[in-house]
């Protein structure tokens, strides 16, 4: 861990702590590329009534807007706490090179943010999951994908 990395982790923790005072959740994150912070985020789930407004997701959104790309290849995400499944998936979709976190999932669970049930759901077979997710093909099910494949100006990702 370099001194810069420790400073960015400390900044993510400070974002999380200040967010609690502002009515948000105890999570903060920032995206760094080439030694420059290009996006920050604080948990706004309860403040904004948005279950996807996690700090990491908001930092990714801000960073992508700042650089004008959906890809954060070459970036590191620093976060105050180990990413939950939603945030880990967002990091993967954004192509973040790596994630560094301060507190872990046990710290989060102690504060009432236990995401173990979500981790367990990903390992469960579809028929045993707590929330049914049911597929049913309609005749036009492939139309959106076919339209995408037929579009000569599509941007591959």
């Amino acid at each position: 861990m370099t001194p810069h990395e420790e400073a960015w982790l400390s900044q993510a923790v400070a974002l999380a702590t200040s967010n609690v005072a502002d009515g948000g959740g105890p999570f903060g994150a920032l995206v760094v590329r080439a030694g420059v912070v290009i996006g920050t985020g604080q948990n706004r789930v309860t403040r904004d009534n948005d279950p996807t407004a996690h700090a990491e997701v908001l930092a990714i959104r801000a960073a992508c807007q700042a650089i004008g790309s959906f890809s954060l290849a070459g970036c590191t995400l620093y976060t105050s706490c180990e990413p939950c499944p939603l945030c880990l998936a967002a990091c993967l979709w954004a192509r973040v090179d790596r994630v560094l976190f301060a507190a872990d999932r046990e710290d989060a669970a102690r504060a009432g943010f236990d995401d173990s049930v979500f981790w367990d759901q990903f390992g469960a077979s579809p028929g045993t999951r707590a929330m049914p997710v049911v597929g049913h093909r309609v005749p036009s099910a492939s139309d959106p994908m076919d339209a995408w494949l037929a579009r000569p100006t599509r941007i591959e990702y």
Side-chain angles (χ1 to χ4, degrees), residues 60 64 67-73 93-95 155-157:
I60 288 168
C64 288
I67 65 170
S69 175
F70 60 84
S71 175
L72 294 178
W93 276 109
R95 292 158 181 80
I155 298 172
E156 298 293 336
Y157 67 98

Side-chain angles (χ1 to χ4, degrees), residues 3-117:
H4 282 109
E5 290 171 328
E6 187 153 331
W8 288 316
L9 268 178
S10 294
Q11 185 178 343
V13 171
L15 283 169
T17 304
S18 68
N19 196 48
V20 173
D22 292 338
F27 304 98
L30 51 120
V31 177
V32 175
R33 181 174 77 171
V36 177
V37 175
I38 60 170
T40 64
Q42 295 170 299
N43 182 284
R44 302 294 194 204
V45 171
T46 56
R47 193 197 79 173
D48 295 352
N49 295 317
D50 180 351
T52 68
H54 291 208
E56 296 89 340
V57 172
L58 296 181
I60 288 168
R61 289 175 185 167
C64 288
Q65 289 297 308
I67 65 170
S69 175
F70 60 84
S71 175
L72 294 178
C75 297
T76 299
L77 185 133
Y78 296 85
T79 181
S80 62
C81 191
E82 183 177 358
C84 72
L86 170 72
C87 295
L88 180 59
C91 291
L92 291 167
W93 276 109
R95 292 158 181 80
V96 170
D97 281 7
R98 66 188 185 134
V99 176
L100 295 176
F101 62 88
D104 62 22
R105 63 178 78 176
E106 286 78 25
D107 294 309
R110 183 179 59 80
F113 298 93
D114 187 357
D115 56 17
S116 62
V117 67

